[in-house]
Amino acid sequence: MDFDLDETQQELQGLAADLLGREAAPDRLEAFERTGAPYAAAVWKAMAQAGLLGVVLPEEAGGAGLGPVELTVILRQVGAHVAPVPAYASLALAALPIARHGTERQRALLAPLNEGDVILTGAHREVGPGGDPRATARRDGDGYVLDGVKTFVPYAEQASLILVPARVEGEGVGVFLVEPVAAEITPQPSATTEPLSRVALTGVRVGAGALLGGAADGAAWDTLRRCAVAGAVALSSGVIEGALDLTAGYVKTREQFDRPLAQFQAVTMNIGDVYIAKRALDVAVWAGAWRLAEGWPDVDETLAIAAFNAADPVVRALYTCQHLHGGIGLDVTYPLHRYFAWAKQIGHLLGGPEDQLDTLGALVAQEA
């Protein structure tokens, strides 16, 4: 694969970086955090007006019809600026799976997202180890009845639709479009300002048109779970890049013994370790996004490698960034704390390094 972005992707990256650098500047983030709002509505609307939310939407919904690589470009910039917007939930967990597998009527539901008028999300996580969902969907007349519990669903209360994967008896895994009012939603702890919720489905009835693509053959579920990982590691890739830039700027200007910290060998070695962690994740992130876009059979292995790097080396690298900042690295009035919180949360939502190593080991064993 070619790791260089093409002209369109470079322009998209520049647009996202410029917009978020302005709209999600540290002083604006401080003001937003004082409001207690679930997300920065002004930033979200600015992204919509710039066309960033429509990048992965189908053309009939007013979008550009692009895919996972372009999604990665956008989410990396969201992470680099720790912008508190529901881009991961709406685009990775919902828009791309709907764009790829939805019926014409289902894809039309994405049009309001292009304008920033709605939020969408996906409920791919459950209590316990990973794998296929344990939530169930049984046929009932011309519809389905859903039962199960989903955990740590981002923006569940704010979303207009939640994508819920569930096992259909005698068929396979399907993904259902569920309105939040039909479920019991309970807030769960979050390391960042992003709202997370437990979503309980107890005898929730949906129509036949709620089944994404009209089939429970597992294809939509595969896309959802892969987009969930690809989007999360893209955010983490941006987070460590932003933290590294902040730390490098600090050690270049902060002096000790009349010398910049960057001139001390131990500091240079430590920040070099952060750079290595960043680059290792970057390689896996872009490889995973490209394989997802091209439909390569080893996409799950590549994404698992990226997820491991996001859940372990990158989190440890954020500790190093804090250490290099000294006491100010722990100060919540200094921007670094946002990067640390985001990295920790992404690592937890990915299941942690041990879970990713188990996943990778199982995938390798299947090929042996």
Side-chain angles (χ1 to χ4, degrees), residues 137-145 205-206:
R138 60 179 174 83
R139 289 188 176 274
D140 182 45
D142 60 349
Y144 297 85
V145 175
R205 195 180 193 285
V206 296

Side-chain angles (χ1 to χ4, degrees), residues 85-271:
V85 292
Y88 169 66
S90 294
L91 302 181
L93 299 184
L96 199 52
I98 293 175
R100 281 196 169 191
H101 301 282
T103 62
E104 182 178 352
R105 184 175 180 180
Q106 290 167 342
R107 292 196 301 272
L109 297 173
L110 295 174
L113 177 59
N114 193 39
E115 304 299 324
D117 293 334
V118 300
I119 294 171
L120 305 173
T121 190
H124 69 289
R125 291 177 55 87
E126 293 183 354
V127 176
D132 285 342
R134 290 171 289 283
T136 61
R138 60 179 174 83
R139 289 188 176 274
D140 182 45
D142 60 349
Y144 297 85
V145 175
L146 305 181
D147 289 282
V149 175
K150 303 294 182 176
T151 58
F152 300 108
V153 182
Y155 298 98
E157 288 187 299
Q158 293 76 27
S160 61
L161 286 174
I162 304 174
L163 269 66
V164 177
R167 180 171 293 282
V168 181
E169 185 177 357
E171 297 181 44
V173 177
V175 176
F176 296 84
L177 308 182
V178 179
E179 295 183 359
V181 293
E184 180 184 346
I185 298 176
T186 307
Q188 290 185 295
S190 172
T192 69
T193 59
E194 179 180 70
L196 299 174
S197 299
R198 176 183 185 270
V199 177
L201 304 130
T202 306
V204 173
R205 195 180 193 285
V206 296
L211 178 59
L212 188 59
D217 57 4
W221 162 236
D222 284 342
T223 296
L224 173 55
R225 64 179 179 80
R226 286 166 178 163
C227 286
V229 177
V233 297
L235 284 176
S236 184
S237 176
V239 165
I240 188 60
E241 182 166 296
L244 177 59
D245 289 345
L246 188 64
T247 306
Y250 179 81
V251 299
K252 286 178 182 177
T253 56
R254 179 73 166 90
E255 292 190 355
Q256 190 71 274
F257 305 113
D258 297 323
R259 295 171 58 191
L261 289 176
Q263 292 184 9
F264 290 89
Q265 186 177 26
V267 172
T268 302
M269 293 172 64
N270 275 313
I271 206 163

